[in-house]
Amino acid sequence: QNVFNMVVEVPRWTNAKMEIATKEPLNPIKQDVKKGKLRYVANVFPHKGYIWNYGAIPQTWEDPGHKDENTGCCGDNDPIDVCEIGSKVCSRGEVIKVKVLGTLALIDEGETDWKIIAINIEDPEADSYNDINDVRRMKPGYLEATVDWFRRYKVPDGKPENQFAFNGEFKDKDFAVNVIKGTHEHWKALMAKKTDGGEINCTNLTVSDSPFCCSQDCAKATVNAAPPCKSPNPIPPEVDKWFYYQKN
């Protein structure tokens, strides 16, 4: 039925660059840090923060040792990313069921970084969305805005515009599902230690035949050993700045 679980990392309209920390035990969601500073995505006019609920499909892995036959580039070493286009603003850490509609192939610093387009199956209009063309019909401009967002979001940090495979064209539902299935196979090889994951921490509770499987008590001890939550730092005022620049 092309329905998959999605872990929400970044609620729509927010800027904090939160992501599954794959190198830490049990892979918590943490804010990315660069040069000692917490990372936020810039608001590149006319966008404000992330323009979808952004997250990942668990049990997938874009293998950096595997060259994608479609893009000619290797994977980005992360779970596959999802842009959820429903009307609800989700909560960070929420796990929702999404219907896959299509995909965009971002080439990020020479790596394949698939962006799955999907909709929450509990969205009031979910039944009207069955493939990528339904997004074009029901939400005109949204796919174009998505390409624009991914093309330009790193420019305020002094980086060049991102590139895309297929000239920035979206691939359909069937293509997207096949990409997910491929990354799931890579994840299974990773969990079975048939592939070297490098610094990725594969400790898990549910893959019983995995050499990385641990007990509930072990997992609980890992969680309890984490430092206690404190009040969040205030969001710096520059996070609300709007960046304007001429498109290339």
Side-chain angles (χ1 to χ4, degrees):
Q1 297 178 8
N2 56 290
V3 172
F4 296 85
N5 287 315
M6 169 189 175
V7 178
V8 178
E9 297 166 305
V10 186
R12 191 170 76 232
W13 306 141
T14 63
N15 297 72
K17 196 173 188 314
M18 310 295 290
E19 54 189 27
I20 294 169
T22 58
K23 296 174 184 176
E24 300 197 20
L26 303 181
N27 306 148
I29 296 174
K30 297 184 72 173
Q31 189 167 359
D32 196 17
V33 175
K34 194 164 190 179
K35 296 180 180 176
K37 286 188 173 183
L38 294 171
R39 283 188 71 188
Y40 296 87
V41 298
N43 304 303
V44 181
F45 184 83
H47 310 301
K48 166 66 178 91
Y50 288 73
I51 61 172
W52 345 257
N53 294 300
Y54 190 71
I57 296 179
Q59 300 190 358
T60 61
W61 180 49
E62 297 194 61
D63 184 353
H66 172 78
K67 183 178 283 190
D68 189 281
E69 61 183 18
N70 296 292
T71 66
C73 297
C74 293
D76 73 344
N77 205 28
D78 278 326
I80 203 163
D81 296 318
V82 187
C83 303
E84 191 280 316
I85 65 168
S87 56
K88 176 189 172 187
V89 175
C90 294
S91 301
R92 183 175 299 116
E94 195 174 347
V95 179
I96 61 173
K97 284 182 164 35
V98 296
K99 185 195 293 189
V100 169
L101 304 172
T103 188
L104 178 69
L106 177 67
I107 305 300
D108 189 354
E109 297 180 17
E111 296 175 332
T112 302
D113 190 2
W114 293 103
K115 306 298 181 185
I116 301 294
I117 307 300
I119 190 166
N120 190 336
I121 63 168
E122 295 183 359
D123 190 270
E125 296 183 330
D127 289 346
S128 300
Y129 291 85
N130 296 294
D131 212 326
I132 198 69
N133 286 330
D134 294 323
V135 183
R136 214 169 258 118
R137 178 173 56 85
M138 301 277 290
K139 296 181 186 283
Y142 205 175
L143 294 181
E144 292 80 1
T146 295
V147 172
D148 185 63
W149 195 97
F150 280 118
R151 188 187 304 281
R152 304 197 292 144
Y153 80 102
K154 289 185 176 180
V155 172
D157 296 330
K159 293 188 175 181
E161 291 185 350
N162 276 323
Q163 303 300 310
F164 302 90
F166 318 116
N167 294 318
E169 294 290 322
F170 287 82
K171 293 295 184 179
D172 64 12
K173 170 195 68 179
D174 292 340
F175 188 103
V177 170
N178 281 332
V179 169
I180 294 168
K181 286 178 178 176
T183 58
H184 178 59
E185 292 302 316
H186 293 148
W187 172 85
K188 286 199 292 188
L190 180 66
M191 288 296 110
K193 215 172 182 178
K194 292 177 180 175
T195 304
D196 181 12
E199 296 181 342
I200 291 181
N201 192 306
C202 298
T203 303
N204 68 87
L205 284 79
T206 56
V207 190
S208 56
D209 57 350
S210 167
F212 304 105
C213 193
C214 74
S215 66
Q216 288 280 352
D217 288 341
C218 167
K220 190 174 182 180
T222 300
V223 173
N224 290 340
C229 283
K230 298 179 180 178
S231 299
N233 289 340
I235 295 175
E238 60 266 23
V239 171
D240 288 329
K241 181 180 178 182
W242 237 348
F243 289 85
Y244 300 82
Y245 82 96
Q246 196 74 38
K247 296 181 188 181
N248 289 341

